[in-house]
Amino acid sequence: MTAIAHQIVGLTCETPMHAGGGSKEEVIDLPIQKEAHTNWPCVYGSSMKGALRARAETQVKMDASLIAQAFGPDTLNASEHAGALLVSDARLLLLPVRSLTSHFKLVTCPALLARLLADLARTGNAQMFKVPAVAADRAISPDCQGRDEIYLEEFSFALSDWADADGWIELLLNLIAAVPGVSRGDQKAELQKQLVVIDNDSFRHLSQAALPVLPHIAINSETKTVRNGALWYEENLPAETLLYTVLGCQPSRKKGANTSAAELLKAVTGQLFGQPYIQIGGNETTGMGWCRVALPQLAQGGE
């Protein structure tokens, strides 16, 4: 088996993101990408790979030989060899949801936490944390702030303390990139206050119903009225959403390169994320899709 080097990448949305899913859903003309079996929002691996290549070619001016090794040669020479970089879907981990209890909450569910553990184990970074069990209509939080009830959107959940959350807080914090001027202690305290875990079924509903849907129109510049057929509704992932993707790298296939998987992955991530930001999805010209990037170096750990 070919040796593969891995790097998990945390993506914190700093602006809303629209990675288009293509087909219309009920009243939403432009839905975002979602997993077929869960309907959870995601960004497909093909879209992630396109965003990474665009950053390599146009934003950071990556070395041409390194681009060919990682992403493959250009179309005219595509038969020479395949690229060595493997890019997974960007998977949802924390979803910001409106709350009457505070300005918003970062919401997740046991199934998402269990899937994170599975992804980490596959990449050689197994974490032995206990996935919390949460009953229907209940929620747990590391910091209940003296409350026994919480509102997410219009739904009420009985709230109780998440007693053994310390390890999870540290793990999630590793996937949230640092912000210049904000201490990691303050980021950790904010995460503790905002983090809420609810049951899988309730999360599935909120991951569809709590997404922002924005109307767009085009105005006829002469009549100052809406052009015929130019009203559409677009779905987005909200800012503050936390996703993660897994990058894998095989040894270079480029003739004469002789670059190992680990060397190639280090070179690619070093050039791509010297400035830890990336734009993903559509509407780049209106400032959408900017994510802050974390590249955690995780040791095996847990309880």
Side-chain angles (χ1 to χ4, degrees):
M1 180 183 293
T2 303
I4 300 177
H6 292 97
Q7 174 67 60
I8 190 165
V9 180
L11 301 165
T12 304
C13 295
E14 291 208 332
T15 62
M17 179 194 294
H18 177 79
S23 53
K24 182 175 179 178
E25 292 179 358
E26 299 180 350
V27 299
I28 301 174
D29 299 289
L30 298 175
I32 60 172
Q33 296 172 8
K34 294 175 182 133
E35 298 176 1
H37 65 303
T38 62
N39 225 23
W40 291 334
C42 69
V43 182
Y44 300 149
S46 56
S47 297
M48 283 301 306
K49 194 170 184 179
L52 291 169
R53 183 155 194 160
R55 181 165 177 79
E57 292 180 339
T58 64
Q59 296 171 16
V60 301
K61 306 296 184 185
M62 182 184 284
D63 176 75
S65 174
L66 192 55
I67 291 176
Q69 292 180 67
F71 298 99
D74 56 37
T75 304
L76 293 178
N77 301 297
S79 61
E80 291 182 2
H81 63 86
L85 187 64
L86 320 174
V87 185
S88 78
D89 291 353
R91 291 178 152 180
L92 180 64
L93 188 53
L94 299 179
L95 180 70
V97 175
R98 290 183 297 185
S99 174
L100 293 175
T101 313
S102 74
H103 55 313
F104 73 94
K105 291 294 183 184
L106 289 169
V107 182
T108 188
C109 68
L112 286 180
L113 297 177
R115 189 169 68 173
L116 173 63
L117 293 184
D119 285 332
L120 289 173
R122 190 179 71 254
T123 59
N125 295 294
Q127 308 289 314
M128 305 301 289
F129 297 130
K130 180 181 178 182
V131 177
V134 184
D137 301 323
R138 301 193 67 86
I140 58 174
S141 172
D143 186 354
C144 295
Q145 302 172 56
R147 297 186 173 92
D148 58 8
E149 185 180 30
I150 188 172
Y151 283 88
L152 300 172
E153 294 284 337
E154 69 270 37
F155 302 101
S156 171
F157 296 83
L159 182 64
S160 56
D161 184 52
W162 184 4
D164 52 354
D166 290 349
W168 280 107
I169 291 289
E170 293 294 338
L171 179 58
L172 295 172
L173 187 63
N174 274 308
L175 293 168
I176 299 174
V179 178
V182 179
S183 73
R184 290 300 270 175
D186 287 346
Q187 281 189 292
K188 180 178 179 179
E190 186 68 12
L191 177 60
Q192 287 176 313
K193 285 198 301 184
Q194 302 303 100
L195 182 59
V196 174
V197 185
I198 60 176
D199 65 280
N200 295 334
D201 291 343
S202 296
F203 183 84
R204 183 178 187 276
H205 176 77
L206 287 178
S207 71
Q208 299 169 56
L211 298 179
V213 177
L214 304 179
H216 291 260
I217 60 172
I219 300 294
N220 184 314
S221 59
E222 294 183 358
T223 65
K224 301 301 181 184
T225 58
V226 178
R227 294 177 184 167
N228 288 335
L231 170 63
W232 71 95
Y233 291 88
E234 179 183 282
E235 187 176 49
N236 299 300
L237 268 177
E240 311 297 341
T241 299
L242 178 63
L243 305 145
Y244 68 93
T245 185
V246 176
L247 301 182
C249 210
Q250 297 173 328
S252 175
R253 298 183 177 89
K254 189 172 186 290
K255 188 175 181 180
N258 297 321
T259 312
S260 72
E263 290 170 339
L264 186 54
L265 183 61
K266 183 178 180 181
V268 169
T269 54
Q271 291 200 24
L272 279 176
F273 303 122
Q275 289 291 323
Y277 295 93
I278 186 172
Q279 196 280 329
I280 301 169
N283 299 333
E284 180 179 1
T285 59
T286 54
M288 293 181 64
W290 281 101
C291 295
R292 201 167 69 248
V293 176
L295 299 172
Q297 300 301 313
L298 300 174
Q300 293 191 7
E303 298 169 348

